[in-house]
């Protein structure tokens, strides 16, 4: 058995999900060999997933989304570092969980990148997802030496709203080590920088932005694009139109333009790092999942990535989630043998979230009964 779930957001981390599923499976099938491979898609949980597979956790103090100091971790193995933006500028780090859509910044992420460079990293993966900011990566680049100034030459305020006053950008002061560093942006978001499907319009409301705030953020990102186009040329406009440039409030755009990053689906990077393909060689069944399986799952979330790998290896795969909004036809078309929802065991969403651990153990037993033959029954039949 291979267990490769993502986190159940708001309830359990990916490692906890795997642990409770394994306990249920072993209860139904004592002696079952289970490989626990908690995964992520480049957003929250990416560092934890990699640390479990041999990366070293490094912790630094940086400015959080509102500037207040936070402890942020990145994962490092050799000269490769993985920086998860949610660790430094994530929604969960907002003081008292009060949204700050206009002023939250990605500056802390740049400070983590600088720490990774200090630790010897020469390949840096930026895991995009779960951020509280919509500043186009201006904070990220600012922490690495770029200058974003108003008409009077003073630095603009951090945050998406501050971009409205942007008059000039100077990238000449970027840390010299960046030129010798390979950058990869990893995430599951295909949004461009601007427009109805862009960083502000699509994801701003999730960060607490009302309609007027979204308009301010969109205008600020547009101003950033104009200024960077004047600074680096038409390449900036090309980068803004690329899928994923709108990830993490446009931090994807900032990394593409200012750091010369290339893009890779976050889930593929994590699945390679945790060695899923190797584990699949001896697998009989794979179990993956996440808190809510819905239309976004089908756009490249971790469970879909796991299912694709399992299908290529010709290993059946099932999914477990807290809430299932897909039809059976959609589940099967995505490559899953079946989809299991904790809601089928506990319909009350509040109780389902609170009791996720015990429900996952119970679901593990269900999956074992339905998909794994009972060797005791086989022995009895043979006798």
């Amino acid at each position: 058995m291979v267990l490769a779930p993502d986190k159940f957001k708001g309830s359990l981390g990916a490692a906890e999900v795997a642990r409770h599923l394994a306990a249920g499976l072993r209860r139904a099938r004592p002696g079952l060999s289970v490989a626990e491979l908690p995964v992520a898609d480049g957003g929250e949980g990416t560092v934890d997933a990699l640390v479990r597979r041999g990366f070293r956790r490094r912790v630094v103090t940086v400015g959080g989304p509102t500037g207040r100091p936070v402890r942020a971790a990145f994962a490092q193995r050799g000269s490769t570092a993985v920086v998860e933006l949610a660790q430094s500028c994530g929604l969960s780090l907002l003081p008292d969980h009060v949204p700050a859509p206009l002023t939250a910044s990605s500056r802390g992420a740049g400070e983590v990148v600088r720490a990774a460079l200090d630790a010897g990293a020469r390949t840096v993966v930026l895991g995009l997802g779960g951020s509280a900011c919509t500043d186009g990566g201006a904070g990220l680049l600012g922490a690495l030496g770029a200058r974003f100034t108003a008409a009077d030459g003073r630095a603009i305020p951090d945050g998406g709203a501050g971009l409205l006053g942007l008059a000039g950008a100077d990238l000449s002061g970027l840390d010299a080590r960046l030129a010798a560093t390979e950058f990869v942006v990893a995430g599951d978001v295909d949004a461009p920088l601007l427009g109805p499907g862009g960083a502000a319009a699509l994801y701003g409301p999730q960060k607490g932005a009302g309609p007027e705030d979204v308009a301010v953020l969109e205008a600020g990102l547009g101003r950033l694009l104009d200024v960077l186009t004047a600074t680096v040329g038409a390449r900036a406009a090309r980068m803004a139109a690329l899928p994923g440039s709108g990830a993490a409030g446009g931090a994807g755009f900032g990394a593409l333009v200012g750091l010369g990053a290339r893009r890779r689906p976050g889930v593929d990077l994590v699945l390679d790092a945790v060695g899923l393909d190797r584990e699949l060689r001896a697998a009989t069944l794979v179990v993956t999942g996440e808190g809510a399986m819905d239309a976004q799952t089908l756009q490249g979330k971790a469970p879909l990535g796991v299912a694709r790998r399992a299908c290529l290896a010709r290993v059946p795969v099932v999914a477990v989630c807290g809430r299932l909004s897909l039809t059976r036809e959609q589940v099967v078309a995505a490559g899953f043998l079946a989809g299991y929802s904790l809601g089928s065991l506990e319909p009350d969403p509040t109780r389902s979230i609170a009791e996720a651990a015990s429900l996952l153990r119970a679901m593990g037993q269900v999956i074992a009964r339905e998909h794994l033959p009972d060797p005791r029954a086989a022995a009895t039949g043979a006798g």
Side-chain angles (χ1 to χ4, degrees):
M1 286 287 299
V2 172
L3 304 182
D6 199 349
K7 64 187 175 300
F8 277 36
K9 193 170 183 178
S11 182
L12 297 172
E16 295 173 295
V17 173
R19 177 163 55 86
H20 292 300
L21 279 171
L25 286 160
R26 290 193 177 107
R27 185 176 300 172
R29 299 288 183 267
L32 180 68
S33 175
V34 180
E36 298 177 33
L37 267 69
V39 300
D41 56 17
E44 294 172 87
T46 297
V47 165
D48 289 340
L50 297 181
V51 167
R52 286 179 59 90
R53 303 301 291 184
F55 280 69
R56 179 181 177 184
R57 183 189 301 275
R58 292 184 174 272
V59 181
V60 294
T61 299
V62 299
T66 62
R68 192 167 80 174
V70 299
R71 298 281 283 169
F74 65 94
Q76 184 172 10
R77 185 165 64 189
S79 62
T80 297
V82 179
V83 175
E84 178 186 317
L85 265 70
Q87 290 269 347
S88 57
C89 51
L91 281 165
S92 63
L93 300 176
L94 288 165
D96 301 319
H97 301 287
V98 177
L102 299 180
T103 56
S105 167
S106 59
R107 181 172 294 275
E111 294 172 353
V112 179
V113 170
R114 195 168 64 231
L117 296 177
D118 292 343
R122 291 301 174 262
T123 297
V124 177
V125 178
L126 297 173
L128 307 182
S131 75
C133 53
T134 310
D135 69 350
L140 167 73
L141 296 177
L144 293 168
R147 293 192 70 240
F148 296 94
T149 54
D152 61 4
R154 297 182 181 180
I156 62 170
D158 280 347
L163 295 174
L164 287 176
L166 182 63
D170 182 359
L171 306 185
S172 65
L174 283 169
D175 192 312
R177 295 173 294 179
L178 299 175
T181 303
E182 178 187 14
F183 282 89
V184 180
V185 290
D188 67 325
V189 170
D190 289 333
L193 181 67
L194 301 173
L202 195 58
Y203 297 103
Q206 298 178 11
K207 305 174 184 186
E212 293 183 1
D213 296 331
V214 167
V216 169
L217 295 171
E218 179 78 3
L221 292 174
R223 184 63 188 152
L224 176 64
L225 174 57
D226 290 343
V227 170
L228 283 178
T229 299
T231 303
V232 304
R235 179 170 63 90
R238 292 196 300 271
M239 296 297 103
L242 288 178
S245 63
F253 169 72
L256 290 168
V257 174
L259 304 179
R262 60 183 176 88
R263 182 173 179 263
R264 188 178 179 198
V267 64
D268 285 340
L269 184 144
V270 173
L271 296 185
D272 285 348
V274 303
L276 176 65
D277 292 342
R278 182 175 60 252
E279 296 290 351
L280 288 174
R281 294 172 193 159
T284 300
L285 181 71
V286 178
V287 181
T288 184
E290 62 181 341
M293 289 187 63
D294 50 28
Q296 288 193 29
T297 302
L298 305 181
Q299 296 173 8
K301 291 282 191 177
L304 185 66
V306 172
R308 287 172 173 167
R309 299 281 184 108
C311 289
L312 286 173
R314 298 185 177 181
V315 180
V317 56
V318 300
V320 178
C321 60
R323 176 174 54 83
L324 181 62
S325 302
L326 302 174
T327 66
R328 173 167 175 73
E329 289 73 21
Q330 288 175 307
V331 169
V332 172
F336 301 101
L337 194 62
Y340 295 87
S341 168
L342 300 188
S344 65
L345 301 178
E346 174 49 73
D348 184 332
T350 301
R351 293 188 60 181
S352 180
I353 291 172
E355 300 171 11
S358 60
L359 293 173
L360 283 165
R361 292 193 293 270
M363 192 60 79
Q365 296 181 69
V366 172
I367 292 171
R369 288 194 296 267
E370 295 190 2
H371 296 281
L372 299 176
D374 187 345
R376 293 169 298 182
T380 302

